[in-house]
Each structure stands twice: as C-alpha cells, then as structure tokens.
Amino acid sequence: MLNPQELKIVIAVAKRHFGVIRKKYPELKGYLVLSLPSGETEIDSSFDKILSEFPEMIIEPKSKTNAHPISTQLKEMTKEAHKYPDKVLLEQQKNLLKKQLKHFAFDPHYNEDAQVEIRFHELNYELVWKLQRDELIDRTLTPQSNASIRIVLGTLAHFKTT
C-alpha cells in the first residue's frame, strides 16, 4: 500500500527512470500510465480521476467506499448538466461534492502492484522491439514477443525501493 505522499515520490522516481529511457531513445514518443489488468489511468491523474477511471487502484476501503458514490454523482451532474434549469445551483452543488471528495483524497492508499507502462503517441515497432530487450525495462513483466507493444517499466512497489 502507498499513501498519497508515497505515491507522489514513487511516481517522481518512475518519471526520472522514463527520462533516462527517453534520452537513450530520443525517437520515443510516448507517455506513462498506471495499470492493472482491470484498467489504467495516466500517471499524473488526480485522486478524482483515479477514482472515476480506475477505482481498483485505490485499496483503502474507507476512502473508496465513501468517495465513489460522490464521484459518480459528480460525474452524472456534469454529464447531465443540460437537464438542470438553474446553472448557478448546479455549480454550487458540484463545488460541494468536490469539497467532499477532497476530504477523502487525503485518506486513500494505492495499490503498489500497479504497473508503470509506456503508451505510445506514435507506434514504432522497431523501437518497441528494442525496448522489450532493454535492461531499463522490466523484462519479466514486459511480454517478449513481436506481437506485443506492451512495455512495462516496473511496478510501483519496484520504484518504491529504488
């Protein structure tokens, strides 16, 4: 489990590692995501975004249990904004929900089994195949096949110890 402060530190370490890879491969056009088999989110996602896109990343039951319905309600209000006749009241209600979510943002713990992976803006198969064999990549978690474009730098737990 990672608390929010630990997650920030681990992400910073993973980004520095990605910077080393980008220097080695300047043609690399990509970005980092956090992923598990159940989903993914961009590495810089906020608590709110993680909660709505990738709730499996949050493992602290209290935060997840209490915050998820609020996040869902906020998402619905935003999606269905055209149905609310009083836009000022709608914004007030949304702001109240956002304040409630911020309260839970300091309590969560994150799954350190989540993997840090590269997603490509421009796919270059030759580069992917080079990356698969590179010592800077977790070759155990990265499929070693020309049929795969999945590149895993490591888990959050790995970056916690480096």
Side-chain angles (χ1 to χ4, degrees):
M1 277 193 317
L2 297 168
N3 67 37
Q5 187 60 32
E6 290 171 324
L7 181 65
K8 284 181 186 177
I9 293 167
V10 168
I11 285 173
V13 172
K15 285 177 162 182
R16 279 195 301 275
H17 186 77
F18 186 50
V20 171
I21 293 168
R22 289 177 98 166
K23 281 184 182 175
K24 187 172 181 179
Y25 300 98
E27 69 275 25
L28 173 60
K29 307 269 189 284
Y31 59 98
L32 297 178
V33 298
L34 301 173
S35 74
L36 287 167
S38 57
E40 71 179 49
T41 191
E42 290 181 29
I43 198 161
D44 289 321
S45 293
S46 66
F47 171 77
D48 299 354
K49 191 170 182 183
I50 292 171
L51 187 63
S52 70
E53 285 184 355
F54 189 32
E56 297 80 13
M57 174 76 183
I58 300 169
I59 57 176
E60 182 68 25
K62 179 182 172 192
S63 294
K64 191 172 177 180
T65 302
N66 294 332
H68 192 61
I70 296 169
S71 176
T72 302
Q73 185 179 3
L74 183 58
K75 196 179 202 180
E76 282 300 312
M77 288 175 85
T78 303
K79 185 178 170 183
E80 303 291 328
H82 63 279
K83 293 182 179 179
Y84 291 86
D86 188 344
K87 300 301 180 200
V88 174
L89 181 60
L90 172 65
E91 284 306 310
Q92 289 173 344
Q93 290 174 337
K94 284 171 54 176
N95 287 335
L96 178 63
L97 291 173
K98 287 176 185 177
K99 284 180 186 175
Q100 290 173 352
L101 271 179
K102 282 185 182 177
H103 167 74
F104 296 114
F106 297 102
D107 188 37
H109 285 78
Y110 299 94
N111 189 338
E112 62 187 28
D113 293 334
Q115 298 177 351
V116 179
E117 298 185 19
I118 299 174
R119 293 293 180 266
F120 299 95
H121 291 297
E122 295 177 13
L123 196 52
N124 174 339
Y125 289 104
E126 294 295 326
L127 175 61
V128 170
W129 299 330
K130 284 181 194 174
L131 286 168
Q132 286 176 345
R133 294 180 297 278
D134 196 292
E135 70 277 356
L136 294 171
I137 302 301
D138 187 316
R139 290 178 283 184
T140 305
L141 296 174
T142 299
Q144 300 294 308
S145 161
N146 287 356
S148 174
I149 61 167
R150 191 162 164 246
I151 303 294
V152 182
L153 303 187
T155 63
L156 291 176
H158 164 80
F159 287 111
K160 183 179 178 181
T161 61
T162 56

